[in-house]
Amino acid sequence: KEVLEIGTAVGFSALCMREYLPKSSHITTIEKVEMRLKEAGKNLERLDEDDRITLLEGDAIEVLKELLIKEKSYDFIFMDAAKGQYVHWLPDALRLLAPGGLLMSDNVLQDGTIVESRYAVERRDRTIHVRMREYLYTLKHMKNLETAILPIGDGVALSVRKEREDS
């Protein structure tokens, strides 16, 4: 029913989710890049006839904190923005994720290079690879999450927040 997307880009994913979710659902999406915000705004204005999508402008780390203050929870959170920041967004994203909710993290395998030795990765890509490995390790070792990593496209991690931590 309640969806949070981190990384709107031009609004494509939000509009796709809107198409297939129940009419009673609502999507909140976050974007900080000005050029993408303008394009997403135009697309949403043109195609979101019933105003089921809210576009929030700003850096995800700050916007997530604002959402926490509102004490809102989300049934589905879709992370598809700066891959090196996933590990930084995770604590607040999990606080916003409802028990039984699904966290979907896109592009987690980085064209498959994430499984290679760090020395096989080009120097300019090492930081993002270290952060993504840390993120995946964290997801897989959290007691309150059940996580599967699927090697589809650039990889996707699906994490379900357990109803109770001991389950």
Side-chain angles (χ1 to χ4, degrees):
K1 198 161 169 109
E2 290 294 330
V3 174
L4 176 62
E5 176 184 40
I6 303 171
T8 311
V10 298
F12 179 78
S13 296
L15 287 164
C16 282
M17 288 186 279
R18 180 196 166 280
E19 184 70 22
Y20 293 100
L21 288 170
K23 295 229 181 276
S24 60
S25 65
H26 184 265
I27 301 160
T28 302
T29 184
I30 304 167
E31 182 58 60
K32 78 171 188 174
V33 178
E34 186 64 36
M35 186 175 71
R36 291 181 188 153
L37 273 165
K38 286 180 183 175
E39 193 65 30
K42 287 183 214 170
N43 291 333
L44 297 179
E45 186 177 314
R46 194 176 76 230
L47 298 168
D48 184 29
E49 305 93 17
D50 50 9
D51 296 322
R52 288 176 33 214
I53 302 173
T54 300
L55 175 60
L56 300 178
E57 179 179 350
D59 191 299
I61 200 83
E62 295 165 11
V63 175
L64 291 171
K65 298 233 182 287
E66 290 171 19
L67 292 172
L68 281 167
I69 292 169
K70 295 178 182 178
E71 296 185 15
K72 189 159 179 142
S73 69
Y74 296 89
D75 306 302
F76 178 66
I77 298 178
F78 179 46
M79 274 201 234
D80 189 21
K83 311 313 173 217
Q85 299 304 311
Y86 283 13
V87 72
H88 300 298
W89 299 331
L90 184 61
D92 287 339
L94 290 178
R95 286 184 194 97
L96 290 165
L97 188 63
L102 176 66
L103 169 64
M104 181 177 181
S105 309
D106 202 17
N107 307 113
V108 296
L109 296 180
Q110 301 285 299
D111 291 322
T113 60
I114 212 72
V115 295
E116 294 180 11
S117 163
R118 80 180 223 70
Y119 300 106
V121 176
E122 289 187 39
R123 185 178 183 89
R124 64 185 169 88
D125 294 332
R126 286 186 185 160
T127 300
I128 193 169
H129 283 250
V130 166
R131 287 184 182 172
M132 187 54 72
R133 286 185 190 114
E134 178 186 352
Y135 178 72
L136 292 173
Y137 181 89
T138 301
L139 283 180
K140 291 295 288 179
H141 291 85
M142 293 189 82
K143 290 181 180 179
N144 63 337
L145 291 180
E146 185 67 38
T147 298
I149 300 168
L150 306 175
I152 298 170
D154 277 344
V156 64
L158 299 174
S159 304
V160 176
R161 181 175 169 195
K162 296 178 183 178
E163 297 288 336
R164 295 186 350 233
E165 192 170 315
D166 60 338
S167 59

